[in-house]
Amino acid sequence: MTMGYTGRILRIDLSRREIWQEETDEVFRRRYLGGWGFIAYYLLKEMPPDADPLGPENLLIFATGPVTGAPISGSGRHTVGAKSPLTGGFGASEAGGFWGTELKRAGFDALIIQGKASSPVYLWIHDGEAEIRDAKHLWGKTTAEVQDFIVRELGDEKVRIAQIGPAGENLVRYACITHDLRHFAGRCGLGAVMGSKNLRAIAVRGSKRVEVADPEKLASIRRWLSENDEALLAGLRYGGTAGGVPYLNASGGMPTRNFLQGHFEYAEEISGQKMAETILVDRGSCYACIARCKRVVEISEGPYRVDPAYGGPEYETVAALGSLCGVGNLHAIAKANELCAAYGLDTISAGVAIAFALECGEKGLLESGEVELRFGNPDTVLKLLEKIAFRQGLGDLLAEGVKRAAACLGAKAQKLAPEVKGQEIPMHEPRFKHGLGLGYAVSPTGADHIHNIHDDAYVKETRSGFKRARALGILEPLPRNDLSPRKVRLFVYELLWRTLPNMLGLCIFLPYDKHQVRDIVQAVTGWDVSIWELMKASQRVHTLARVFNLKAGLSPADDYLPERFFQPFTDGPLAGEAVNREAFHKALNLFYRMMGWDPQTGMPAEHLFDELDISWAR
Amino acid sequence: MTMGYTGRILRIDLSRREIWQEETDEVFRRRYLGGWGFIAYYLLKEMPPDADPLGPENLLIFATGPVTGAPISGSGRHTVGAKSPLTGGFGASEAGGFWGTELKRAGFDALIIQGKASSPVYLWIHDGEAEIRDAKHLWGKTTAEVQDFIVRELGDEKVRIAQIGPAGENLVRYACITHDLRHFAGRCGLGAVMGSKNLRAIAVRGSKRVEVADPEKLASIRRWLSENDEALLAGLRYGGTAGGVPYLNASGGMPTRNFLQGHFEYAEEISGQKMAETILVDRGSCYACIARCKRVVEISEGPYRVDPAYGGPEYETVAALGSLCGVGNLHAIAKANELCAAYGLDTISAGVAIAFALECGEKGLLESGEVELRFGNPDTVLKLLEKIAFRQGLGDLLAEGVKRAAACLGAKAQKLAPEVKGQEIPMHEPRFKHGLGLGYAVSPTGADHIHNIHDDAYVKETRSGFKRARALGILEPLPRNDLSPRKVRLFVYELLWRTLPNMLGLCIFLPYDKHQVRDIVQAVTGWDVSIWELMKASQRVHTLARVFNLKAGLSPADDYLPERFFQPFTDGPLAGEAVNREAFHKALNLFYRMMGWDPQTGMPAEHLFDELDISWAR
């Protein structure tokens, strides 16, 4: 058995109530690694390409990577995947915490769920065993209620629970999957897929150790991180992911009022620093991680009381439910975050859906008797979250996601919908980071910030992004607002690199350089992998995901960037700046070529299937 | 200054007797590395593509790599390059020894010579200085005579001398360049280029140290090699490169009688083992190397007296001037080797030219009043070497190389000429190693064994080739006689990898795995290079060399394999085995695709110039 893996995949057919196990071989494991790799493989290999994302044919896959659960900071990650009900294509989303590690400790690298239970159920997986249990009594409850209930029912406080909330039950297209209330596989509407299967939760408990091939080598990287803890991690630990808000805002890259602006007058009020000074009561962690970047906030009085059980808002949440809706009240944002966690809503898509509705309201394209459709009203945001989760009134429309909602509202509204392939744009501004716009356009999952190349990280020799890109042969810094062929090359290389954490089960926030990531994989698995092999594994999964999307009916026409980003900002530090349309389309074309894909059809070239050793996927 | 480099290139125009220096910058050094990289850059950038290889416009380039001269076994290598008078395309050939290290110690990473001296000259390069000196008195002399003369004239026993012999003076198209009498840049006819410039020798002496960035890291690899010396190097040290003869012969892969056979009845008599038991008097080395794979032989009596000053025959020589000519007399082979060294002839091309003539003689396509044109007569071989070097009689025809000679002899003879692009096939049999046939066809330098992928090294999990290929993601062993898409992928990856030593200045015979090679580059230069960056650097130089060849008039039609290899062996261990024509052409097509080149035109795709950061080369 390869170290770092269990070598087993748990299969469950909810329609037939069948449970079985599959063994993987070492070549399979090394070729696909895990996470995105396993998901792309199984979706393409087993699922009819025209399967309804919310039908029983969809596969819902929870996949760890080789690093998941290894004793090293950043290893607490796993990926959930399925055909996305937002995009109709390849869907995948990562979560931190402890659940992935626990799945491995229970004896499985991945869990693949197909079919649909005839009534609500939950899964109980423990040390190589699995059972399907009744969950009718859990339906309709908040995630915290269900967490408590399952813990009590199983009589084990240490059980780890992945679950949906009412939003997933109600098939909100951007319902998320939460793990132990605080760790979210937020994007791509995977909570709706889980809901469509009548599966409310998956409880996991295991007692095995995740064995690593070279503990001493792993320990040396661990020591390096500990010894440089203050220099490398203090910012993230103190400010959390929202610690970058002041910088982003000063740069003009803070998504504000449905992307109409890049600068928010109340940014300081909603920053990670402000959170740390006010409502922060603890810093949470994931398995084995010393970064402690997760937030735990509590508000015990006033209109926005917040239960610390749900943790606290990340940067994406602060921006999506804050500046993007014009809301500068951190307490209200924390409350909105709690609602999303309790109901199982992706905070990004939910925030964008609301911001879109607010702009439509301000522009007279949408009316509501229920709430005031104006930017800046926190109570509108909170009310709409409730309505979305339970598909009430306007919430029922917004629960479909901005693309479908805009289609109902007409052409003028469609121009205001910030989405790619039906997935809402996350909280990074393409007019600030121009390469990122390309990332939104081409990501197989729709607009996704895992493909966020931080263009501003490559502008100087001294910037960490540039320093780390050198290992790939990127030898000269590049301007932020550049879409030249050199930027496309940087983008392709960094895209391939940045997909790897989602295959390996490693957090992208840890400050490991590329050689250290390679060393971690080698230390865990014992494989003599190179960065070449890892980059090619990433190209492999991108190619598989592209083929899946093509078979599912997507085409290069779906690789777009919303019109708004081609229009200049009218105020703020980036006033006058827009993505250059011609440069963008040239860059898009060059991206296809560099990936080995046909710019017209999107199809990977014949030889690529051979080079990537995936001839089965033709 | 990057460690491992001097940062300076010495330029000499012999026509105008001008000497100047150029500085390189770090991006240039890291992008092109050295050796092949520097040569491809300058040939393509500066030379008219239609330049006559034997005219003053040709550039003759001596280029070290970052590793050249570093204190680590295998670092005694440099590359010589020019437009080849054999192929009319990109020419490059490596040599070991001490000369490359000395050039660096004298303050230069590379030396670029253009123009033509009005009368014979030699160069004297010493500690940052260079002068052009008269060499009329050296013209026509053997290499040993010239070596002695220059040492005496300069009054320095430690001077290192690169030179041509009479063969180079007489523009034999496969004249070589020898270094200190024993270390040869044999292939591509670079000695003729040097001769065409009236340049007989280049003497170098320097006192600088080659500084390395991380001496401790380099020392740890050195220690690893020392500690495993016996296990890793004993075979090479005892048998030399000809130690593999018994294995090759037993496998049916021993080039015999102009490639008519793959098995030689006197193979044991000409093996490295036999040499060690009989005529070997010492084992030579290159700079800093503990392998000691070089031979020094001496024969003090009998018809074939051999002077140990010239070292002794390598495997290629033993086969080309031995089995390929049907000669099983090791003494005669050693004598032939001495003649080639004294006259400056490439032993491979010379042996093939003679073997071709012998077969033509046996088949009645060629007659000679001077020698007996039959396989197996050592005196014919020795006489023809003399005649070739001095372009006398039949030797004048054979001095043109087998392609041009066969064209004079007619269509029947052309079918017997073992060459690709005009360069003679080296001593590795494509019917034994099928991927190698592809390597001969596509090498930019014509048939070249640096592109020898040892297919038999990848057939089992336990074989070293396969073990080391894993680092590139080659996860399953492949049959020797296979040209499937998987073999093509292996071929492309290993081709890119195996070109790197010729860019780095590192010997391909040392048993470093791919990570160790990367570590050596990192330790020497201080760069955080990855195997990805190195592989892409190799793809860059292959693409530049391809563009150079296209501009020089070559086309995909020049990427062929001689008809002979598509015909089955009629006897020996591989009786009945041939390269499959259809599989070969499919593999060739797929190779182009995987390299990003158009199979019809051979032209690299537009996007590749961007991806490889060589848009200047369009």
PDB file of all heavy atoms in Angstrom, chain A residues 522-535:
ATOM      1  N   GLN A 522       6.428  13.647  -1.535  1.00  0.00           N
ATOM      2  CA  GLN A 522       7.419  12.568  -1.525  1.00  0.00           C
ATOM      3  C   GLN A 522       7.532  11.953  -0.137  1.00  0.00           C
ATOM      4  O   GLN A 522       7.575  10.731   0.008  1.00  0.00           O
ATOM      5  CB  GLN A 522       8.767  13.116  -2.012  1.00  0.00           C
ATOM      6  CG  GLN A 522       9.772  12.049  -2.391  1.00  0.00           C
ATOM      7  CD  GLN A 522      10.712  11.734  -1.248  1.00  0.00           C
ATOM      8  OE1 GLN A 522      11.081  12.614  -0.488  1.00  0.00           O
ATOM      9  NE2 GLN A 522      11.104  10.483  -1.128  1.00  0.00           N
ATOM     10  N   ALA A 523       7.554  12.790   0.871  1.00  0.00           N
ATOM     11  CA  ALA A 523       7.699  12.290   2.243  1.00  0.00           C
ATOM     12  C   ALA A 523       6.479  11.462   2.652  1.00  0.00           C
ATOM     13  O   ALA A 523       6.607  10.433   3.317  1.00  0.00           O
ATOM     14  CB  ALA A 523       7.895  13.452   3.211  1.00  0.00           C
ATOM     15  N   VAL A 524       5.310  11.893   2.229  1.00  0.00           N
ATOM     16  CA  VAL A 524       4.096  11.165   2.612  1.00  0.00           C
ATOM     17  C   VAL A 524       4.005   9.833   1.863  1.00  0.00           C
ATOM     18  O   VAL A 524       3.789   8.781   2.461  1.00  0.00           O
ATOM     19  CB  VAL A 524       2.834  12.022   2.343  1.00  0.00           C
ATOM     20  CG1 VAL A 524       1.577  11.179   2.513  1.00  0.00           C
ATOM     21  CG2 VAL A 524       2.800  13.213   3.290  1.00  0.00           C
ATOM     22  N   THR A 525       4.179   9.890   0.546  1.00  0.00           N
ATOM     23  CA  THR A 525       3.912   8.699  -0.280  1.00  0.00           C
ATOM     24  C   THR A 525       5.127   7.796  -0.473  1.00  0.00           C
ATOM     25  O   THR A 525       4.972   6.610  -0.757  1.00  0.00           O
ATOM     26  CB  THR A 525       3.455   9.122  -1.694  1.00  0.00           C
ATOM     27  OG1 THR A 525       4.508   9.895  -2.290  1.00  0.00           O
ATOM     28  CG2 THR A 525       2.183   9.946  -1.639  1.00  0.00           C
ATOM     29  N   GLY A 526       6.299   8.362  -0.384  1.00  0.00           N
ATOM     30  CA  GLY A 526       7.497   7.601  -0.725  1.00  0.00           C
ATOM     31  C   GLY A 526       7.820   7.646  -2.213  1.00  0.00           C
ATOM     32  O   GLY A 526       8.842   7.110  -2.633  1.00  0.00           O
ATOM     33  N   TRP A 527       6.965   8.274  -3.009  1.00  0.00           N
ATOM     34  CA  TRP A 527       7.218   8.383  -4.454  1.00  0.00           C
ATOM     35  C   TRP A 527       8.294   9.429  -4.724  1.00  0.00           C
ATOM     36  O   TRP A 527       8.294  10.485  -4.100  1.00  0.00           O
ATOM     37  CB  TRP A 527       5.956   8.827  -5.196  1.00  0.00           C
ATOM     38  CG  TRP A 527       4.810   7.882  -5.137  1.00  0.00           C
ATOM     39  CD1 TRP A 527       4.848   6.525  -5.008  1.00  0.00           C
ATOM     40  CD2 TRP A 527       3.407   8.234  -5.211  1.00  0.00           C
ATOM     41  NE1 TRP A 527       3.568   6.024  -5.011  1.00  0.00           N
ATOM     42  CE2 TRP A 527       2.670   7.038  -5.138  1.00  0.00           C
ATOM     43  CE3 TRP A 527       2.725   9.449  -5.355  1.00  0.00           C
ATOM     44  CZ2 TRP A 527       1.270   7.013  -5.185  1.00  0.00           C
ATOM     45  CZ3 TRP A 527       1.341   9.429  -5.405  1.00  0.00           C
ATOM     46  CH2 TRP A 527       0.621   8.228  -5.324  1.00  0.00           C
ATOM     47  N   ASP A 528       9.096   9.156  -5.732  1.00  0.00           N
ATOM     48  CA  ASP A 528      10.113  10.151  -6.115  1.00  0.00           C
ATOM     49  C   ASP A 528       9.537  11.143  -7.128  1.00  0.00           C
ATOM     50  O   ASP A 528      10.128  11.383  -8.174  1.00  0.00           O
ATOM     51  CB  ASP A 528      11.359   9.467  -6.668  1.00  0.00           C
ATOM     52  CG  ASP A 528      11.060   8.636  -7.909  1.00  0.00           C
ATOM     53  OD1 ASP A 528       9.871   8.291  -8.116  1.00  0.00           O
ATOM     54  OD2 ASP A 528      11.991   8.326  -8.668  1.00  0.00           O
ATOM     55  N   VAL A 529       8.395  11.690  -6.821  1.00  0.00           N
ATOM     56  CA  VAL A 529       7.748  12.628  -7.752  1.00  0.00           C
ATOM     57  C   VAL A 529       8.606  13.862  -7.987  1.00  0.00           C
ATOM     58  O   VAL A 529       9.383  14.267  -7.143  1.00  0.00           O
ATOM     59  CB  VAL A 529       6.377  13.118  -7.227  1.00  0.00           C
ATOM     60  CG1 VAL A 529       5.364  12.015  -7.246  1.00  0.00           C
ATOM     61  CG2 VAL A 529       6.502  13.732  -5.844  1.00  0.00           C
ATOM     62  N   SER A 530       8.408  14.439  -9.162  1.00  0.00           N
ATOM     63  CA  SER A 530       9.046  15.712  -9.483  1.00  0.00           C
ATOM     64  C   SER A 530       7.951  16.752  -9.697  1.00  0.00           C
ATOM     65  O   SER A 530       6.778  16.415  -9.866  1.00  0.00           O
ATOM     66  CB  SER A 530       9.864  15.592 -10.772  1.00  0.00           C
ATOM     67  OG  SER A 530       9.000  15.357 -11.873  1.00  0.00           O
ATOM     68  N   ILE A 531       8.357  18.003  -9.732  1.00  0.00           N
ATOM     69  CA  ILE A 531       7.405  19.069 -10.045  1.00  0.00           C
ATOM     70  C   ILE A 531       6.875  18.886 -11.462  1.00  0.00           C
ATOM     71  O   ILE A 531       5.719  19.186 -11.744  1.00  0.00           O
ATOM     72  CB  ILE A 531       8.077  20.446  -9.814  1.00  0.00           C
ATOM     73  CG1 ILE A 531       8.249  20.641  -8.288  1.00  0.00           C
ATOM     74  CG2 ILE A 531       7.276  21.579 -10.429  1.00  0.00           C
ATOM     75  CD1 ILE A 531       8.995  21.898  -7.884  1.00  0.00           C
ATOM     76  N   TRP A 532       7.682  18.339 -12.337  1.00  0.00           N
ATOM     77  CA  TRP A 532       7.201  17.995 -13.692  1.00  0.00           C
ATOM     78  C   TRP A 532       6.027  17.022 -13.601  1.00  0.00           C
ATOM     79  O   TRP A 532       4.967  17.243 -14.197  1.00  0.00           O
ATOM     80  CB  TRP A 532       8.335  17.383 -14.512  1.00  0.00           C
ATOM     81  CG  TRP A 532       7.904  16.785 -15.820  1.00  0.00           C
ATOM     82  CD1 TRP A 532       7.496  15.506 -16.066  1.00  0.00           C
ATOM     83  CD2 TRP A 532       7.833  17.458 -17.100  1.00  0.00           C
ATOM     84  NE1 TRP A 532       7.190  15.339 -17.398  1.00  0.00           N
ATOM     85  CE2 TRP A 532       7.385  16.521 -18.054  1.00  0.00           C
ATOM     86  CE3 TRP A 532       8.116  18.773 -17.516  1.00  0.00           C
ATOM     87  CZ2 TRP A 532       7.217  16.845 -19.408  1.00  0.00           C
ATOM     88  CZ3 TRP A 532       7.938  19.087 -18.862  1.00  0.00           C
ATOM     89  CH2 TRP A 532       7.498  18.132 -19.793  1.00  0.00           C
ATOM     90  N   GLU A 533       6.210  15.941 -12.863  1.00  0.00           N
ATOM     91  CA  GLU A 533       5.139  14.948 -12.757  1.00  0.00           C
ATOM     92  C   GLU A 533       3.891  15.578 -12.153  1.00  0.00           C
ATOM     93  O   GLU A 533       2.763  15.319 -12.610  1.00  0.00           O
ATOM     94  CB  GLU A 533       5.591  13.752 -11.910  1.00  0.00           C
ATOM     95  CG  GLU A 533       4.509  12.684 -11.800  1.00  0.00           C
ATOM     96  CD  GLU A 533       4.921  11.490 -10.947  1.00  0.00           C
ATOM     97  OE1 GLU A 533       6.095  11.430 -10.517  1.00  0.00           O
ATOM     98  OE2 GLU A 533       4.062  10.622 -10.719  1.00  0.00           O
ATOM     99  N   LEU A 534       4.061  16.408 -11.150  1.00  0.00           N
ATOM    100  CA  LEU A 534       2.907  17.040 -10.513  1.00  0.00           C
ATOM    101  C   LEU A 534       2.197  17.988 -11.479  1.00  0.00           C
ATOM    102  O   LEU A 534       0.965  17.992 -11.566  1.00  0.00           O
ATOM    103  CB  LEU A 534       3.347  17.793  -9.250  1.00  0.00           C
ATOM    104  CG  LEU A 534       3.862  16.912  -8.104  1.00  0.00           C
ATOM    105  CD1 LEU A 534       4.388  17.771  -6.959  1.00  0.00           C
ATOM    106  CD2 LEU A 534       2.771  15.966  -7.588  1.00  0.00           C
ATOM    107  N   MET A 535       2.966  18.772 -12.213  1.00  0.00           N
ATOM    108  CA  MET A 535       2.352  19.696 -13.175  1.00  0.00           C
ATOM    109  C   MET A 535       1.595  18.913 -14.250  1.00  0.00           C
ATOM    110  O   MET A 535       0.516  19.319 -14.683  1.00  0.00           O
ATOM    111  CB  MET A 535       3.442  20.556 -13.820  1.00  0.00           C
ATOM    112  CG  MET A 535       4.084  21.557 -12.878  1.00  0.00           C
ATOM    113  SD  MET A 535       3.059  23.014 -12.538  1.00  0.00           S
ATOM    114  CE  MET A 535       3.337  23.971 -14.052  1.00  0.00           C
TER     115      MET A 535
END
